[in-house]
Amino acid sequence: MEYDAYNDSGIYDDEYSDGFDYFVDLEEASLWEAKVAPVFLVVIYSLVCFLGLLGNGLVIVIATFKMKKTVNTVWFVNLAVADFLFNIFLPMHITYAAMDYHWVFGKAMCKISNFLLSHNMYTSVFLLTVISFDRCISVLLPVWSQNHRSIRLAYMTCAAVWVLAFFLSSPSLVFRDTADMHGKITCFNNFSLAAAESSLHPAHSQVVSTGYSRHVAVTVTRFLCGFLIPVFIITACYLTIVVKLQRNRLAKNKKPFKIIITIIITFFLCWCPYHTLYLLELHHTAVPSSVFSLGLPLATAVAIANSCMNPILYVFMGHDFRKFKVALFSRLANALSEDTGPSSYPSHRSFTKMSSLNEKASVNEKETSTL
C-alpha cells in the first residue's frame, strides 16, 4: 500500500517531497514509480550537476578574475555561487535515487541538502527581483542611479539577500529528519517534531494538528515569498521599464533586456510546477495520488535544472547564434558585462575586441582554406 503524503501522525511522509524522497511499496508501485523514476532522476540530476558545476564555475572564474567588477557582475556572480553550492551537494541526491531511496549520509546532511535546495530558490528569485528593481531605477532615475549605483551597495544588497534566504530556508534545518522505514533510511519532513518511531502511531490528535499547521505555514510561505510576491514585483518593474522606454525611445540596444528577461522567464517556468504541486499537496486527499507520484519527481527535476540554465543562456544570448566561431569566454563575458539604462552601457572593450578578432580570424581561415 502507498504511504499517504501526510500521515495521521502529523509527520509528513516525504514520499513525494522534493522529488528526492519518493518511495512506495514496490508490490503495488507502477513501472514508473518502481523502475523508471529512479533512473530518470539519476540521469537528469547527473546532467544538471555536470552542467551546473562547469557552467557556474566558468561564470564565477570569468566574472571574478577576468573582468572589471561592476554592479552587473556582482549580481551574476551571486546567482552563479548560489547555483554552484547547490550543485556541489547534488551527487548525494543522485546516490539517494540510485540506491532506491535509501539515505546513507546521516541526519545532518539530510537537513543541509534540503536546506540548499530552498536556499538556492530563494537566493535566485530575490536576486532576480533585485536586478529587475535595479533596471527599473536605472531607467526612471538615471541621474540618481549614476551617482548612487555602486559596487559596495550591490555587495550589501547581496549580503541581505543571502541572510533573508537563509532565514526563510531554515525550516529545512528544523523539520528535516531521517527514519528507518521498511528497511530503508528515509530523509523526510518531520513537521510534528515527534520521534519517528512513536509518531507512526500517534496518541494525541494535537500532534496531527500541530504538524499539519507547520506544513501549511512552510508551504504557503515558500509560495508567497519564493514565487508570487517576486512575480508581482518583477512584472511591475519590467512593465514600468517598457512603458518608459517606449515613451522616450531611450533604449539603443535591446539585447541586455532579452538576456535578463529570458533568465527570469526560465526561472519561473522551472519553479511554477513545483510550487503548484506543493500547494495541491496540502489537500492531497482530494487529488489522485498518481498526480504526486508522477508529477512531483518531474516537477522537482525541472526546478533543479534551473541551477544549470543561466550560464547556458549567457552563452547563447550573449552574441548572435550564427557566430559560432566566437570564443566561449567572450560570449560569457559579453553577457555578464551588459547593463541597461537610458542608453545601453558599453561592454568591456577587451572582450569585445577579442570576439571581433576571433570572428575575423575565422573568416580569414575560411578564405585561406578555400584558396
Side-chain angles (χ1 to χ4, degrees):
M1 124 180 198
E2 281 191 5
Y3 296 104
D4 288 332
Y6 196 91
N7 66 26
D8 294 334
S9 67
I11 286 188
Y12 178 57
D13 289 339
D14 252 352
E15 173 186 346
Y16 311 119
S17 179
D18 303 327
F20 300 136
D21 313 309
Y22 167 70
F23 59 95
V24 292
D25 189 336
L26 293 179
E27 292 182 359
E28 296 190 9
S30 68
L31 177 62
W32 162 264
E33 295 168 335
K35 301 296 181 182
V36 179
V39 175
F40 171 80
L41 294 181
V42 168
V43 172
I44 295 299
Y45 291 168
S46 299
L47 183 61
V48 169
C49 183
F50 173 76
L51 294 176
L53 291 175
L54 178 63
N56 290 298
L58 279 175
V59 169
I60 294 169
V61 170
I62 292 171
T64 304
F65 301 106
K66 302 294 184 179
M67 298 176 63
K68 179 182 177 181
K69 280 186 174 60
T70 65
V71 172
N72 210 42
T73 57
V74 171
W75 303 142
F76 289 124
V77 165
N78 276 267
L79 273 174
V81 169
D83 290 335
F84 190 84
L85 285 176
F86 173 70
N87 279 280
I88 287 177
F89 286 84
L90 196 51
M92 287 194 298
H93 300 296
I94 297 172
T95 304
Y96 189 36
M99 295 183 66
D100 200 16
Y101 308 105
H102 176 55
W103 186 263
V104 296
F105 302 103
K107 183 184 293 187
M109 295 312 300
C110 171
K111 294 176 180 288
I112 292 173
S113 61
N114 191 259
F115 165 83
L116 286 174
L117 175 65
S118 295
H119 191 271
N120 173 258
M121 177 195 68
Y122 282 120
T123 305
S124 297
V125 73
F126 291 160
L127 285 172
L128 292 176
T129 305
V130 168
I131 291 171
S132 302
F133 186 75
D134 176 48
R135 298 290 194 267
C136 189
I137 294 298
S138 296
V139 171
L140 295 179
L141 303 171
V143 177
W144 185 93
S145 179
Q146 187 174 2
N147 293 331
H148 296 86
R149 188 175 181 267
S150 65
I151 296 177
R152 181 173 179 271
L153 181 59
Y155 277 120
M156 291 174 61
T157 302
C158 289
V161 164
W162 282 78
V163 171
L164 182 58
F166 180 92
F167 174 76
L168 290 172
S169 304
S170 60
S172 295
L173 300 177
V174 177
F175 298 119
R176 208 67 177 168
D177 201 357
T178 57
D180 189 340
M181 294 185 180
H182 301 277
K184 295 179 182 177
I185 303 298
T186 304
C187 177
F188 68 108
N189 285 322
N190 185 353
F191 286 111
S192 70
L193 295 179
E197 293 79 7
S198 61
S199 64
L200 293 177
H201 300 286
H204 304 288
S205 59
Q206 183 179 358
V207 176
V208 179
S209 176
T210 302
Y212 183 73
S213 298
R214 289 168 177 167
H215 181 195
V216 171
V218 170
T219 302
V220 172
T221 300
R222 180 170 55 194
F223 173 70
L224 291 177
C225 297
F227 193 77
L228 188 61
I229 294 175
V231 165
F232 282 127
I233 295 175
I234 290 172
T235 302
C237 286
Y238 277 98
L239 286 176
T240 303
I241 291 172
V242 168
V243 171
K244 180 71 174 179
L245 295 183
Q246 286 184 343
R247 181 179 300 171
N248 298 329
R249 297 182 180 179
L250 294 174
K252 296 180 181 178
N253 183 8
K254 296 181 179 179
K255 190 175 294 181
F257 285 107
K258 290 181 180 179
I259 292 174
I260 188 60
I261 289 175
T262 303
I263 291 171
I264 291 168
I265 291 174
T266 301
F267 177 88
F268 288 113
L269 287 178
C270 287
W271 283 96
C272 184
Y274 179 91
H275 288 291
T276 301
L277 285 172
Y278 271 91
L279 287 175
L280 287 175
E281 197 180 38
L282 294 177
H283 304 284
H284 65 277
T285 55
V287 181
S289 61
S290 59
V291 171
F292 301 111
S293 61
L294 294 173
L296 268 176
L298 290 173
T300 304
V302 172
I304 287 173
N306 184 251
S307 65
C308 73
M309 292 289 190
N310 290 349
I312 298 173
L313 295 176
Y314 300 152
V315 170
F316 288 110
M317 295 195 69
H319 283 280
D320 193 331
F321 278 110
R322 291 170 294 182
K323 300 174 182 177
F324 290 111
K325 292 296 184 180
V326 178
L328 175 64
F329 277 27
S330 301
R331 292 191 178 195
L332 279 171
N334 179 273
L336 295 175
S337 63
E338 291 186 79
D339 265 316
T340 54
S343 59
S344 297
Y345 298 112
S347 302
H348 294 298
R349 295 184 179 180
S350 60
F351 283 97
T352 303
K353 290 179 179 179
M354 184 191 303
S355 63
S356 299
L357 290 173
N358 286 334
E359 291 174 29
K360 291 178 181 178
S362 64
V363 171
N364 291 335
E365 286 179 9
K366 188 174 181 180
E367 291 177 349
T368 303
S369 63
T370 57
L371 293 177

